[in-house]
Amino acid sequence: MDIIALKPQSLWRAFKELNTIPRTSKKEQQATTFIKNLGESLGLKTIVDRKGNVIIKKPSTTGMENRPTVILQSHLDMVHQKNTDIVFDFTTQGISMYVDGDWVKAQGTTLGADNGIGVAAIIAILLAKDLLHPPIEALFTTDEEDGMGGAKHLDVRPLLGRILLNLDTEYDDELTLGCAGGVYTMIKGKYQEKKINNGTTYRLAVKGLQGGHSGMDIHLGRGNANKLMNRLLYDLFEACPIRIVEISGGDLLNTIPRESFAVIYISKKNEKTFLKKFTNVAEEIQNEWKGKEPVLQVSHELLEKNLNKAMCKADQKKLLQAIYACHNGVLSMSNSIEGLVETSSNLAKVVVKKGQIQIRTFQRSAIASAKWDMAKTVRTAFESIGLKTSYEASYPGWQPNMKSPLLQLMIDQYKNLFKFKEEPKISATHGGLECGFLKEHMPEVDMISFGPTIKGAHSPDERVSITSVQKFWKYLTEVLRNIPENINPNDNENLRVLNSIDPPTTGNSITKRRKSNP
């Protein structure tokens, strides 16, 4: 079935067109241009800021002029992941999609439903001529998946809305009103290389892991390819004098690493010991993980080439020990929300090659102090062996507001629309949402995040439910139709006025935060 034959056709047509555009984080220029051209072609006021964020303003439909303006927000970029057997260039190719029962999937790559379905829904509303809605401010942000740079540096002065609907949640029965904050801890350093005699080189592989979103899926306890490769190398090193030539594991910070590869050297006289130990360790790892990672592969391949340098023994030992000591996975669970991860860390990427070490990690927590404590834990593991660390792209959490007038409206609309006895689930997420930065910029704005059911985000298994998208669209349009005039009577008008003028060089904390914007 052609994607655009699905209903609602306007949304799926927009999603299909969006997926023809390469839009990796920090390289969304084509997507920004696409959205800008759309707004201008409709004759709507369109604003593009220095970070490529786009704001399009659509007037209300007749009779809705006195309703408060609603900001509809989604991010343009997508996570780029593919299976190793797929030849695909994310910088030049669009996503190839197909229908499988109730699911839309991609051919061996991420689908981009995160957050492309949200973007497509907003486009469909901008194009619509038969929907009742209040004044709309469509906000399309950039760089969400790699540090939230678009939201962080967003110029919010053109935005007058007091209600914000973030369309970036992945379960259609949930309303999200809180998220964890995060920080990237980056590690760099050098190691000494030593000459090696003629021997044998092998390429080791850990692959077939499920991976997934390092926030949303971290509680599932899936295998981390970097940790499993390090265990393999450590056990081999203890049994026989292997020498590491290079390591390449993982990819994106917000993705649980699915694959890791290493090239090692072993002398001829120790080759039998190596092969025996490899078999034993590989079997141990696969037996331990067969319940959660049924297609995990731990393999070796003989390389027909001679190498003359490898990591020196002392530096190799220190590095393997540091990676072993580096925390990965869930550290603690929330005491206030059952089943919610409070603090975690993801060992996202390990690259060792030609005397250089680069390691990328990602810490998340609902508590700011716990986020930094976890980051310092990771930092200590690597600084103790002389590597340099730095913190990058720290972003704030978003604290839930259970007294939100918007929340009550959306609960009521959900119950009325779907006739369910149970109310929608009210949740916070361990994943990062741009609402953290947006709330800092616009503290008086009432915010809710919701969306259709998306499975396997940040992995080639990503898929979106067709019936769920239909439910999401029906719900979104019904909420817009029923926005009352007095939805947010507790707004602080002074804050809105403050955000609508050029910030002074001195003043309260809001102006100081906005001064950092380019």
Side-chain angles (χ1 to χ4, degrees):
M1 179 184 291
D2 192 338
I3 300 298
I4 61 173
L6 301 173
K7 295 183 179 181
Q9 286 185 307
S10 58
L11 187 155
W12 288 109
R13 185 179 295 110
F15 183 56
K16 182 176 182 179
E17 189 169 2
L18 180 68
N19 263 359
T20 65
I21 302 170
R23 56 187 202 281
T24 186
S25 301
K26 295 182 170 63
K27 297 179 180 179
E28 309 97 325
Q29 294 90 341
Q30 292 183 63
T32 291
T33 300
F34 169 70
I35 297 297
K36 174 179 177 290
N37 291 343
L38 170 69
E40 292 176 345
S41 70
L42 294 172
L44 302 176
K45 184 176 182 180
T46 302
I47 303 162
V48 181
D49 70 13
R50 297 180 185 178
K51 284 293 181 177
N53 302 306
V54 185
I55 298 170
I56 300 176
K57 299 197 174 196
K58 182 182 183 183
S60 69
T61 50
T62 303
M64 302 280 283
E65 294 87 354
N66 293 329
R67 308 295 174 93
T69 299
V70 175
I71 304 169
L72 298 177
Q73 187 264 323
S74 287
H75 63 84
L76 293 172
D77 59 322
M78 63 172 284
V79 168
H80 286 178
Q81 289 276 286
K82 70 179 187 67
N83 291 323
T84 53
D85 59 345
I86 298 293
V87 178
F88 194 90
D89 185 350
F90 283 107
T91 65
T92 60
Q93 292 179 250
I95 303 300
S96 178
M97 301 181 288
Y98 66 98
V99 176
D100 182 6
D102 186 48
W103 299 96
V104 172
K105 301 178 179 180
Q107 298 281 2
T109 70
T110 38
L111 175 63
D114 173 17
N115 188 215
I117 291 292
V119 171
I122 299 174
I123 292 174
I125 288 169
L126 291 175
L127 293 170
K129 298 180 180 180
D130 58 349
L131 292 177
L132 288 175
H133 60 75
I136 297 293
E137 292 177 329
L139 172 59
F140 303 91
T141 51
T142 58
D143 196 25
E144 191 270 353
E145 300 289 8
D146 191 15
M148 302 191 187
K152 180 179 181 179
H153 298 290
L154 174 68
D155 183 355
V156 301
R157 286 174 292 183
L159 294 170
L160 301 178
R162 302 177 183 180
I163 297 166
L164 187 146
L165 302 180
N166 169 278
L167 309 182
D168 195 17
T169 293
E170 296 171 3
Y171 295 95
D172 68 12
D173 61 348
E174 287 189 359
L175 299 176
T176 300
L177 61 159
C179 69
V183 62
Y184 301 163
T185 302
M186 315 297 239
I187 299 98
K188 291 184 179 181
K190 298 180 179 181
Y191 62 89
Q192 187 177 5
E193 290 185 299
K194 292 284 189 179
K195 289 184 178 181
I196 50 179
N197 299 320
N198 289 334
T200 306
T201 56
Y202 283 88
R203 184 175 186 260
L204 312 184
V206 173
K207 58 184 182 178
L209 295 166
Q210 297 179 72
H213 192 295
S214 66
M216 303 294 290
D217 298 325
I218 200 74
H219 66 289
L220 299 175
R222 292 174 177 169
N224 180 302
N226 289 326
K227 293 293 279 188
L228 293 179
M229 176 60 78
N230 192 75
R231 172 180 172 177
L232 177 65
L233 293 171
Y234 190 94
D235 287 354
L236 290 170
F237 182 51
E238 282 194 324
C240 54
I242 67 163
R243 300 281 291 280
I244 296 172
V245 178
E246 61 182 61
I247 304 173
S248 178
D251 188 7
L252 302 176
L253 279 158
N254 53 10
T255 300
I256 301 169
R258 302 164 50 246
E259 298 176 333
S260 178
F261 304 93
V263 175
I264 62 98
Y265 159 87
I266 187 72
S267 64
K268 290 287 187 181
K269 66 178 181 179
N270 291 302
E271 190 172 2
K272 288 184 178 179
T273 303
F274 158 76
L275 292 172
K276 182 178 179 180
K277 185 64 176 179
F278 179 92
T279 300
N280 292 339
V281 178
E283 287 179 355
E284 286 177 357
I285 292 173
Q286 288 174 309
N287 285 334
E288 288 177 22
W289 286 92
K290 61 184 178 182
K292 287 189 175 180
E293 300 286 0
V295 295
L296 166 64
Q297 301 174 43
V298 182
S299 61
H300 64 73
E301 173 189 3
L302 181 64
L303 296 182
E304 297 294 338
K305 62 179 180 179
N306 293 322
L307 301 171
N308 55 17
K309 286 185 179 180
M311 184 182 290
C312 76
K313 182 177 179 180
D315 287 347
Q316 178 173 300
K317 181 177 181 180
K318 288 190 293 184
L319 178 63
L320 293 176
Q321 289 178 332
I323 294 175
Y324 233 125
C326 177
H327 182 86
N328 180 78
V330 175
L331 177 70
S332 60
M333 302 295 291
S334 172
N335 291 322
S336 56
I337 302 177
E338 184 178 355
L340 178 68
V341 177
E342 182 176 89
T343 305
S344 74
S345 183
N346 181 45
L347 180 62
K349 188 169 185 175
V350 176
V351 177
V352 176
K353 190 173 183 179
K354 296 183 178 180
Q356 301 289 328
I357 298 170
Q358 290 188 336
I359 298 173
R360 308 179 78 196
T361 73
F362 190 176
Q363 291 73 53
R364 304 176 188 260
S365 183
I367 302 172
S369 58
K371 175 185 78 175
W372 290 111
D373 182 59
M374 184 74 264
K376 285 185 282 188
T377 299
V378 172
R379 174 182 177 179
T380 301
F382 293 104
E383 286 192 345
S384 65
I385 65 167
L387 299 181
K388 296 180 180 179
T389 61
S390 62
Y391 298 136
E392 298 180 12
S394 174
Y395 63 86
W398 169 32
Q399 294 300 313
N401 174 18
M402 296 303 295
K403 297 181 180 180
S404 158
L406 177 60
L407 174 62
Q408 190 57 54
L409 168 74
M410 295 192 68
I411 291 173
D412 292 342
Q413 290 301 319
Y414 189 93
K415 292 164 64 177
N416 293 337
L417 187 61
F418 302 115
K419 311 300 181 185
F420 292 153
K421 294 181 180 179
E422 294 184 3
E423 296 183 352
K425 298 173 184 175
I426 310 304
S427 69
T429 176
H430 191 58
L433 289 172
E434 292 160 294
C435 293
F437 276 122
L438 297 174
K439 194 69 174 175
E440 274 198 344
H441 296 324
M442 303 179 290
E444 80 288 4
V445 173
D446 203 358
M447 303 179 182
I448 294 286
S449 179
F450 66 109
T453 297
I454 298 171
K455 299 287 188 180
H458 296 194
S459 82
D461 296 324
E462 183 183 4
R463 57 203 184 277
V464 61
S465 164
I466 297 167
T467 53
S468 179
V469 169
Q470 294 165 351
K471 175 184 175 182
F472 160 68
W473 174 252
K474 187 176 182 180
Y475 184 37
L476 171 60
T477 55
E478 193 69 13
V479 168
L480 293 176
R481 180 194 304 269
N482 287 282
I483 295 288
E485 292 185 18
N486 61 345
I487 177 64
N488 207 351
N490 297 319
D491 270 348
N492 185 336
E493 186 62 26
N494 292 329
L495 288 177
R496 168 51 65 201
V497 171
L498 186 63
N499 275 333
S500 67
I501 61 176
D502 289 331
T505 55
T506 61
N508 63 31
S509 59
I510 296 172
T511 59
K512 289 179 181 177
R513 278 198 298 270
R514 287 178 50 77
K515 279 170 62 181
S516 65
N517 291 349

